[in-house]
Amino acid sequence: MMIVVLGASTVMLLWAVCYPLIVLSMPYAPLMQTAFLRALIGGLFLLLCAVVLRRPFPKSLRAWASIAAIGFTATSIGFWGMFYAGSLISPGLATVLTNTQPLIASVLAGVILKEVIHRNVLAGILLGFAGVAIIGFNGALGNNTQAIFGIAFVISAACGIAISNILLKKLAAQIDIFYAMGGQLAIGALPLWAIAPSPTVAAGLYPDTNYVAILMALAIPGTALPFLLWYWLMAKAPLNQLNIFSFLTPIFGLVLGGVYFAESLSHWQWVGVMIVIVAIVISILPKKRVKERSCPV
């Protein structure tokens, strides 16, 4: 259990760093260009690791169809919504709202994966979502119409991520981890390339060393490594339990927003943070006593 807690928390911290990095990349290149290069570099890095480590290559058409579906939902839709949202609303708020996806994923997990949600996990999901809602909507009250579009992009990204998590759970331990994650990132990058302002990859490679550093941070520790760790965790714990840790990302995001972008929390947002922490504690409590009273969704 401790490995799952540490692993999931690490994934959320790495993902939380992405929104501030997206904001920092904006002066150097168009958003979709950076999104495309982030996914492509991250995917090629993992595929190169697969070749060097001589991992088993997925040979079936069904396996690659699953990888492509994950790439379209997690990378194409997820990055599309994430990058455009990062240009319209603050990094902290964007990070918070992305994490409405655990509630979406928990419903899908019950319907598609037939996962049984224990009462304390269900309570944690609902309570965590309430905390995220308090943080997010309180932060959006003072914004203009631009924030509404930003929130819409974030929700689109959250839906894509939630669907990809269901597909990942069904795929976990069936396909080599490096090919699965590297393949989905590389395939998912293609639609991003199609909607990028420039049709050439070279046009996105600016000589500025700051942009290169930001891009590599987005691609490797911000994308390749957390996707790899998340896929590994899928085989270790139920999706509903793992998704609870997604509520940590808003807290990490708000801290990073405060440090690097001078974002400050209101009293209500602090209330939301405390609710999220309580939700995570409730969800990871021992479940033996409530096993017989589990409630399917």
Side-chain angles (χ1 to χ4, degrees), residues 29-38 76 79-85 189 191-197 211:
L31 285 169
M32 285 301 100
Q33 215 165 69
T34 302
F36 161 66
L37 291 171
R38 171 193 175 184
S76 301
F79 283 18
W80 171 77
M82 182 186 298
F83 272 76
Y84 275 129
L192 299 175
W193 169 75
I195 61 176
Y211 178 67

Side-chain angles (χ1 to χ4, degrees), residues 11-297:
V11 170
M12 300 313 152
L13 176 60
L14 291 172
W15 276 337
V17 174
C18 291
Y19 275 112
L21 288 174
I22 289 171
V23 173
L24 292 175
S25 74
M26 288 168 58
Y28 301 100
L31 285 169
M32 285 301 100
Q33 215 165 69
T34 302
F36 161 66
L37 291 171
R38 171 193 175 184
L40 182 66
I41 293 171
L44 292 178
F45 172 78
L46 292 178
L47 291 174
L48 178 62
C49 289
V51 173
V52 171
L53 297 174
R54 298 184 178 180
R55 308 288 292 196
F57 183 82
K59 297 180 180 180
S60 71
L61 181 61
R62 182 177 180 180
W64 283 104
S66 298
I67 291 171
I70 294 169
F72 179 71
T73 52
T75 300
S76 301
I77 296 177
F79 283 18
W80 171 77
M82 182 186 298
F83 272 76
Y84 275 129
S87 69
L88 297 173
I89 55 179
S90 66
L93 180 56
T95 308
V96 166
L97 293 178
T98 300
N99 288 277
T100 55
Q101 73 85 14
L103 190 61
I104 303 169
S106 66
V107 174
L108 294 176
V111 174
I112 299 174
L113 301 178
K114 307 302 180 184
E115 285 192 2
V116 175
I117 307 179
H118 292 270
R119 292 186 186 278
N120 52 339
V121 175
L122 180 60
I125 290 171
L126 296 175
L127 196 60
F129 181 75
V132 166
I134 290 172
I135 297 170
F137 289 111
N138 185 258
L141 288 178
N143 291 332
N144 53 27
T145 308
Q146 176 175 289
I148 298 175
F149 287 102
I151 291 171
F153 280 119
V154 169
I155 298 302
S156 298
C159 290
I161 294 168
I163 295 170
S164 72
N165 277 334
I166 299 298
L167 297 173
L168 278 172
K169 185 61 179 177
K170 296 185 71 173
L171 200 65
Q174 296 181 24
I175 301 177
D176 178 74
I177 186 171
F178 286 92
Y179 278 113
M181 293 298 93
Q184 72 89 3
L185 283 168
I187 293 172
L190 297 179
L192 299 175
W193 169 75
I195 61 176
S198 172
T200 61
V201 178
L205 295 175
Y206 286 69
D208 192 289
T209 55
N210 290 330
Y211 178 67
V212 174
I214 292 168
L215 186 60
M216 295 307 295
L218 274 170
I220 310 301
T223 303
L225 298 184
F227 265 115
L228 203 66
L229 183 54
W230 189 246
Y231 184 76
W232 179 79
L233 288 169
M234 286 287 184
K236 303 295 181 183
L239 177 58
N240 287 313
Q241 190 178 64
L242 289 174
N243 262 330
I244 288 292
F245 290 91
S246 296
F247 292 124
L248 280 175
T249 310
I251 297 176
F252 292 144
L254 289 169
V255 170
L256 291 169
V259 172
Y260 293 103
F261 297 95
E263 292 185 51
S264 60
L265 299 184
S266 68
H267 294 301
W268 277 108
Q269 286 177 318
W270 276 115
V271 170
V273 168
M274 296 307 298
I275 290 175
V276 167
I277 293 173
V278 171
I280 293 170
V281 172
I282 290 174
S283 69
I284 62 177
L285 289 175
K287 306 174 183 62
K288 291 182 179 180
R289 294 181 182 179
V290 296
K291 186 175 181 180
E292 295 180 358
R293 294 180 293 167
S294 300
C295 53
V297 173

